[in-house]
Amino acid sequence: MSELTAVGKPIQRVDAEEKITGQAVYGYDLVLPDMLYGKTLFSPKAHARIKRINTEKAKAYPGVVAVVTAEDAPWTHGETVKDKPFLAQGKVRCIGEPVAAVAAEDEDTAEAAVKLIEVEYEDLPVYTDPEEACKPGCVEIHEDFGKYRKADFIVKGAAPNVAEHFKLRTGDVDIGFKQSDVIVEERYFVPIIQHAAMEPHSAHAQFDKESGRLTIWVANDAPFRALHEITEALGMPKEKIRFINPLQGGGFGSKGGLKVEPIAVALAFHTNGRPVRVKFNREETFISTLTRHEAVVYSKTGVKKDGTLMARAMTIYWGAGAYAEKSPTVCIRGSLPAPGPYRIPHVKVDGYAVYTNKPVAGSYRGYGIPQGAWAGEQQMDEIAKRLGMDPIAIRMKNMFVEGDISYWGEQLHAVGLKETLVKATEAIDWGKPTKTAKPGVKIGKGFACIQKPTRSPTTSAAGVLVNAKGEVTVLAGTVEIGQGCNTILSQVAAEELKVPLERVHMHQLDTDVIPFDASTTSSRSTYHMGNAVRRASIHAREQIMEAAGPMLEAKVQDLGYADGKVFLKDQPQQALPIGEVVRRKLGIHGKVRGDGSYTYEIGKDLDLETGHSDHASAFYMYATQAAEVEVDEESGRVRVLRMSAAHDVGKAINPLNCVAQIEGGVVMGIGSALHEELVIDNTGKVRNPSFLDYHLVTSLDTPELIPIVVECPEPEGPYGAKGLGEPGLAPTPAAIGNAVTDAVGVRVYDLPLKPENVYWAIRKKKKDAA
Amino acid sequence: MKMNIQFSLNGKSISRDVPTHRLLLDLLRDEIGVTGTKEGCGTGDCGACTVFLNGKPVNSCLVLSGELDGAEIVTIEGLKIGPELHPIQKTFLQDGGAQCGYCTPGMLMMSKALLDENPNPSEEEIRFALAGNLCRCTGYAKIVQAVQDAAALLRNR
Ligand code: FES
Ligand code: FES
């Protein structure tokens, strides 16, 4: 391969300039001409039947243009289970569920009018604990589950409120435990947290009666999924619906699926063609968008005296909240690798996605891996302790290496795990004595390893245009959420067309003109869209070379390509810049278009009885993070002193961007480890829906960060690249948990590691000892 | 109640009839259409909406339009020095201080406020000054770096 010119270089972000000057326009910023202002009425009840809705007063309020309820929008949607109404139909299933909405001439009017809508409710039993909600005798939150349209792989559990039951069966765990010398069994808990992207949620919609076209402006991370869901729900042809993506101020999984969009759409049908904006404020974003799944994880592990893992059994209750959203797939993709990146002959996993009357849980950076790792990786340390083994040694003995067959039946390749473990632990001076702490304060070290699959099979398609000036435009459906995809994809196009990066620009995301892409999720973009853009660029280059042949009076095989020029191999000074080729061929307004598409063909789908697949994921990401922490024994307060994070990225297309993703991920992970928790009481009410009460990590609470990029090339990936966005926070809480135990000798099983949880664990140990 | 207010925005004088309870943030974004200033919470807890009001950084989501008569307001759109980027903008570019960029305008304004007062801040002073500006993407390391580098640029001018 010729030398890389753009890929692998630490290039500054291509979208930074508009962001630092305030020119970047985000979804939340958009003001459309003649726009109406929408406001939503949310349910104050966690589970209730709607007996009556009266909108008369709101409709009569001066300045109100439209008031809508389920009567005006009798549609439902959902990714794999079509269970979610545009606006509550007949009942509400969580506090914060949209019930009605108003569009008015200004924000104040909309706000005043929405308060005039009267709703009468009849209470139903409220379930706020996923483990409780699936006990026999519980009322079904979705009594019509059987009638919903849904994907064929959904396995409804036998117990009440179970939307999905995932099973993994390998070997026979009973035999495995019998053959084990030591067995450890425990319950772990991970609470609900929220993405808290700095840009809250909003959507704009406009329906033009004459053309019958519906346009939606929204910072959605999967516009083609949104397009499909809206099309499917409304029964409108795809060509009639258009999604335009303004910039997105963070997402972390929260901005996929439909949340504000259905409300804006419902209103847009009643505004005589005027566009309507619906914004959720921060509190509404907290209660009515998405959360990360709370999870109760029961984990039992059996091991031989020499540290060989024999069996692992896990039962995981994933709290889905009021609607299924991505819960079935989080349950599947989070439960499957939950036993960890290890060779284990006997494995049994049961994952249950359980409806509750809490805000809807959806995809969240890490997609179920942090929850499994919180249990599995702490249990690995427990086992090591019981065996008197070093935590590194026990993992080294069992961890996946190149060519291993995983417990779900897939042969693994490009496994960079060992290197991440070695580098992450070295970076915090593992095995060397820690600094001496102040009296009453203990210092400890810990680490955790993860393996993460990506959503498979999926498709990304791309177009690449080259104009007569030699400028390149990339048409890609990957959403710039902040992760840096515009930079990465520009680098790929610049690489294949050998043009400077300044000549490449990304087209705005508009489903009318941009080729299909499955989603900007699951750390799939660099790999899938990277491949698609690479292919599209090569396709464009080939056409240019083809066209240049006659111009240079040569056969294509006698032409070379470099530096944005086509040249004669034996007379390199005889060269034509690509823009010149396009101009001569198609005129000054002409453009050559290359197209490319990439689909990762998986093998067999996951078997519904065993969870096995010979190819469950296009690639796997591996990481180890290691923490050094300080624990104040008096208060239970944990402070992370330094944290290393070694991530196998396959190949770093942009090392700067890799570091940025790792740092951001780790700090988000530290928040989830130490203090983040969406507190919901037993009436289903969120008690802390503000940044005052929901504590994000601030500039004051970040430790020394040591990001480490490991490159174990993925043969199918573009230039060997895999993905990186999600794993950044996945091992973090478990690593910190292990460090806390190392420091104070007690284990805390429930996240977050807030002072009271740690304090009580220390107290209990002291009491037991006394 | 509406009232006529006159104020200067990034050096341009503006006269408007606005409801006195309209927040400065909404006035800028929805009515004047200058959207570089961001809304992250609307309750004074995130710093995304930071602007300069009469030379001092404020959360524009906590300022009512009724207070603005005669005021001087500078937003991110007014941070450049003539056609040139402000040093803090340059270092945010070079160090990767912005990812999604949504917190960035507020971060830049707050960083400028710090540097105006303290041309040689320690890392701790930077972290303290930015503690009210939330960022969910970067983990703050590159932001702190950018402020340090901007301070050096400013000192060497
Ligand atoms: S929007 Fe003003 S502080 Fe958050
Ligand atoms: S860069 Fe996204 S919130 Fe700071």
Side-chain angles (χ1 to χ4, degrees):
Chain A
M1 196 175 23
S2 63
E3 211 168 293
L4 295 174
T5 51
V7 161
K9 307 282 183 273
I11 286 163
Q12 177 184 301
R13 290 180 73 105
V14 299
D15 58 349
E17 182 133 2
E18 55 166 357
K19 290 175 174 174
I20 54 127
T21 52
Q23 300 308 309
V25 178
Y26 296 79
Y28 216 63
D29 297 337
L30 213 59
V31 177
L32 298 170
D34 208 22
M35 171 180 96
L36 294 169
Y37 296 77
K39 190 78 196 157
T40 310
L41 179 71
F42 299 94
S43 168
K45 300 274 184 184
H47 197 195
R49 229 166 271 297
I50 298 173
K51 300 198 56 180
R52 197 179 59 88
I53 304 184
N54 185 348
T55 58
E56 291 310 315
K57 284 183 203 153
K59 280 185 174 146
Y61 194 80
V64 168
V65 175
V67 181
V68 292
T69 65
E71 267 186 35
D72 311 284
W75 310 296
T76 56
H77 67 90
E79 186 176 55
T80 56
V81 181
K82 307 283 175 195
D83 62 352
K84 182 137 195 264
F86 276 43
L87 293 162
Q89 296 175 6
K91 70 186 278 193
V92 289
R93 297 179 173 89
C94 66
I95 294 177
E97 176 165 359
V99 174
V102 172
E105 295 293 343
D106 59 62
E107 198 98 55
D108 294 341
T109 307
E111 216 168 304
V114 90
K115 292 192 184 124
L116 299 174
I117 300 171
E118 295 160 4
V119 188
E120 211 179 295
Y121 295 99
E122 182 183 286
D123 286 323
L124 293 165
V126 172
Y127 299 108
T128 55
D129 178 344
E131 241 185 315
E132 289 300 315
C134 59
K135 293 247 162 87
C138 284
V139 171
E140 294 277 5
I141 295 168
H142 289 266
E143 54 269 57
D144 290 331
F145 189 90
K147 294 190 203 145
Y148 294 152
R149 292 160 294 146
K150 45 182 135 11
D152 346 313
F153 60 80
I154 299 289
V155 180
K156 164 92 178 95
N161 293 316
V162 177
E164 165 69 20
H165 176 193
F166 168 78
K167 284 187 276 190
L168 181 68
R169 302 287 183 266
T170 300
D172 182 335
V173 283
D174 291 334
I175 295 175
F177 287 124
K178 258 191 220 126
Q179 294 170 350
S180 299
D181 298 316
V182 171
I183 292 172
V184 180
E185 191 171 4
E186 204 43 73
R187 176 189 192 271
Y188 302 83
F189 176 69
V190 179
I192 297 179
I193 60 173
Q194 207 191 36
H195 314 69
M198 290 314 297
E199 181 199 19
H201 292 238
S202 66
H204 297 58
Q206 180 173 30
F207 180 66
D208 179 45
K209 267 208 186 104
E210 239 141 70
S211 63
R213 293 211 77 193
L214 176 65
T215 307
I216 299 148
W217 293 259
V218 60
N220 188 301
D221 71 26
F224 288 94
R225 170 191 161 193
L227 174 68
H228 175 78
E229 268 186 52
I230 292 273
T231 308
E232 209 262 0
L234 301 180
M236 272 167 76
K238 265 204 172 103
E239 301 66 47
K240 294 281 184 198
I241 304 178
R242 173 183 187 191
F243 273 80
I244 299 174
N245 258 57
L247 252 182
Q248 188 166 322
F252 316 108
S254 69
K255 285 177 179 158
L258 304 177
K259 291 161 300 283
V260 194
E261 296 85 342
I263 305 167
V265 167
L267 285 168
F269 286 122
H270 300 275
T271 57
N272 285 319
R274 291 175 69 182
V276 58
R277 171 180 91 183
V278 182
K279 288 203 317 190
F280 281 4
N281 61 27
R282 180 54 62 185
E283 178 176 349
E284 294 164 352
T285 296
F286 265 114
I287 66 170
S288 195
T289 60
L290 292 178
T291 63
R292 185 173 88 177
H293 291 79
E294 61 185 321
V296 178
V297 185
Y298 290 92
S299 183
K300 179 176 174 184
T301 306
V303 66
K304 286 269 193 213
K305 271 199 209 96
D306 68 355
T308 307
L309 287 173
M310 292 306 295
R312 197 160 230 195
M314 290 176 125
T315 303
I316 311 177
Y317 297 92
W318 304 90
Y323 293 96
E325 230 303 309
K326 291 227 186 225
S327 287
T329 48
V330 168
C331 175
I332 295 167
R333 302 230 150 239
S335 302
L336 174 85
Y342 306 108
R343 290 180 298 272
I344 316 173
H346 306 285
V347 178
K348 181 171 181 234
V349 180
D350 287 281
Y352 301 96
V354 187
Y355 284 124
T356 64
N357 297 115
K358 283 171 153 178
V360 183
S363 61
Y364 189 113
R365 191 181 203 175
Y367 219 75
I369 302 302
Q371 292 94 327
W374 172 246
E377 282 299 281
Q378 291 206 91
Q379 197 151 69
M380 287 300 285
D381 266 32
E382 268 320 297
I383 296 162
K385 197 162 133 197
R386 293 275 289 273
L387 293 171
M389 242 177 126
D390 179 74
I392 295 181
I394 189 165
R395 287 176 176 84
M396 284 292 192
K397 189 174 181 70
N398 293 287
M399 81 175 19
F400 286 147
V401 294
E402 175 67 34
D404 272 348
I405 307 281
S406 68
Y407 43 80
W408 59 90
E410 170 172 2
Q411 188 165 34
L412 300 172
H413 298 291
V415 186
L417 184 58
K418 247 186 196 161
E419 195 178 336
T420 67
L421 171 55
V422 170
K423 291 197 164 153
T425 48
E426 266 175 18
I428 64 155
D429 305 307
W430 188 267
K432 300 199 185 115
T434 53
K435 300 172 212 143
T436 36
K438 297 163 243 147
V441 172
K442 291 267 163 66
I443 291 184
K445 289 178 187 173
F447 69 93
C449 306
I450 60 108
Q451 171 189 30
K452 189 187 177 303
T454 186
R455 198 183 154 206
S456 305
T458 62
T459 296
S460 289
V464 167
L465 306 173
V466 182
N467 72 12
K469 289 188 194 146
E471 293 160 339
V472 177
T473 301
V474 179
L475 282 68
T478 300
V479 180
E480 179 56 82
I481 307 169
Q483 83 283 40
C485 65
N486 282 0
T487 307
I488 301 298
L489 298 174
S490 298
Q491 283 178 262
V492 171
E495 182 65 55
E496 293 306 331
L497 290 163
K498 304 290 179 205
V499 294
L501 201 67
E502 306 80 67
R503 312 226 84 191
V504 180
H505 107 268
M506 302 296 297
H507 194 288
Q508 179 176 23
L509 214 171
D510 173 341
T511 57
D512 266 6
V513 294
I514 298 288
F516 176 83
D517 175 51
S519 60
T520 306
T521 61
S522 211
S523 308
R524 61 177 291 284
S525 301
T526 297
Y527 176 97
H528 291 86
M529 190 58 85
N531 271 327
V533 169
R534 187 181 194 188
R535 287 178 178 181
S537 304
I538 292 170
H539 184 216
R541 190 178 72 206
E542 282 169 357
Q543 293 173 61
I544 289 168
M545 289 187 71
E546 194 78 37
M551 297 174 197
L552 290 167
E553 293 170 13
K555 296 205 182 84
V556 173
Q557 59 268 29
D558 297 329
L559 297 176
Y561 188 98
D563 207 14
K565 292 189 189 102
V566 186
F567 60 88
L568 285 180
K569 275 184 192 157
D570 52 4
Q571 274 173 279
Q573 67 282 12
Q574 285 272 37
L576 282 176
I578 54 173
E580 178 65 15
V581 177
V582 175
R583 190 188 64 80
R584 285 207 210 164
K585 168 107 180 143
L586 299 167
I588 51 166
H589 301 298
K591 283 175 189 159
V592 163
R593 177 178 171 129
D595 276 287
S597 155
Y598 184 85
T599 303
Y600 185 79
E601 298 296 347
I602 60 163
K604 282 185 287 175
D605 271 341
L606 292 182
D607 182 277
L608 296 183
E609 284 309 311
T610 63
H612 285 214
S613 166
D614 58 357
H615 240 147
S617 172
F619 57 89
Y620 290 88
M621 293 163 275
Y622 299 92
T624 303
Q625 292 183 0
E628 183 172 19
V629 306
E630 174 182 279
V631 185
D632 182 331
E633 286 192 296
E634 282 301 306
S635 65
R637 183 162 180 264
V638 178
R639 217 160 65 89
V640 180
L641 301 173
R642 54 178 171 161
M643 184 106 207
S644 66
H647 288 257
D648 170 17
V649 304
K651 158 85 187 167
I653 299 222
N654 185 335
L656 275 186
N657 205 64
C658 289
V659 165
Q661 279 297 300
I662 295 172
E663 287 182 346
V666 170
V667 168
M668 204 174 197
I670 290 174
S672 70
L674 297 188
H675 44 71
E676 280 186 46
E677 179 178 26
L678 197 65
V679 181
I680 300 176
D681 67 20
N682 59 11
T683 69
K685 191 171 171 57
V686 177
R687 307 307 310 200
N688 56 343
S690 73
F691 285 148
L692 187 63
D693 298 316
Y694 185 94
H695 182 191
L696 300 186
V697 176
T698 73
S699 54
L700 287 175
D701 338 292
T702 53
E704 180 195 344
L705 302 171
I706 312 164
I708 300 162
V709 173
V710 168
E711 293 182 318
C712 181
E714 168 63 43
E716 275 271 309
Y719 319 98
K722 303 179 180 174
L724 173 63
E726 293 193 290
L729 50 55
T732 320
I736 294 173
N738 283 335
V740 167
T741 304
D742 182 50
V744 291
V746 298
R747 193 162 290 283
V748 182
Y749 297 94
D750 293 3
L751 276 177
L753 294 159
K754 55 185 174 184
E756 57 262 49
N757 286 3
V758 178
Y759 171 83
W760 285 113
I762 296 171
R763 265 277 292 257
K764 187 172 173 292
K765 181 191 157 201
K766 283 192 177 150
K767 233 167 106 195
D768 291 350
Chain B
M1 198 192 57
K2 281 205 175 183
M3 116 180 213
N4 180 269
I5 52 167
Q6 301 194 12
F7 58 96
S8 115
L9 174 61
N10 300 326
K12 272 211 318 247
S13 69
I14 296 210
S15 165
R16 288 256 156 176
D17 290 326
V18 290
T20 48
H21 68 274
R22 179 75 71 244
L23 301 170
L24 170 55
L25 176 66
D26 294 335
L27 177 68
L28 291 170
R29 290 168 53 82
D30 282 357
E31 302 204 6
I32 302 176
V34 176
T35 59
T37 304
K38 301 302 177 208
E39 176 175 358
C41 68
T43 51
D45 299 314
C46 78
C49 66
T50 307
V51 301
F52 280 85
L53 173 61
N54 299 326
K56 289 256 171 300
V58 295
N59 287 329
S60 61
C61 69
L62 299 180
V63 177
L64 299 176
S65 296
E67 306 166 41
L68 295 177
D69 201 31
E72 195 179 296
I73 297 159
V74 179
T75 66
I76 181 71
E77 288 89 349
L79 185 58
K80 275 191 182 178
I81 305 167
E84 269 231 16
L85 294 176
H86 186 279
I88 186 69
Q89 288 174 307
K90 288 186 192 160
T91 56
F92 258 66
L93 269 186
Q94 149 213 315
D95 294 339
Q99 288 188 20
C100 84
Y102 201 78
C103 70
T104 309
M107 285 287 181
L108 288 167
M109 300 311 267
M110 206 58 205
S111 303
K112 177 182 187 298
L114 168 69
L115 295 173
D116 284 352
E117 275 204 357
N118 180 355
N120 193 9
S122 66
E123 177 178 342
E124 210 171 320
E125 285 168 329
I126 295 170
R127 289 187 176 274
F128 194 78
L130 297 179
N133 287 70
L134 299 175
C135 174
R136 193 58 155 164
C137 300
T138 63
Y140 303 101
K142 299 289 181 274
I143 292 176
V144 172
Q145 179 72 51
V147 180
Q148 283 170 325
D149 291 348
L153 271 185
L154 281 163
R155 284 199 305 275
N156 296 335
R157 269 222 299 222

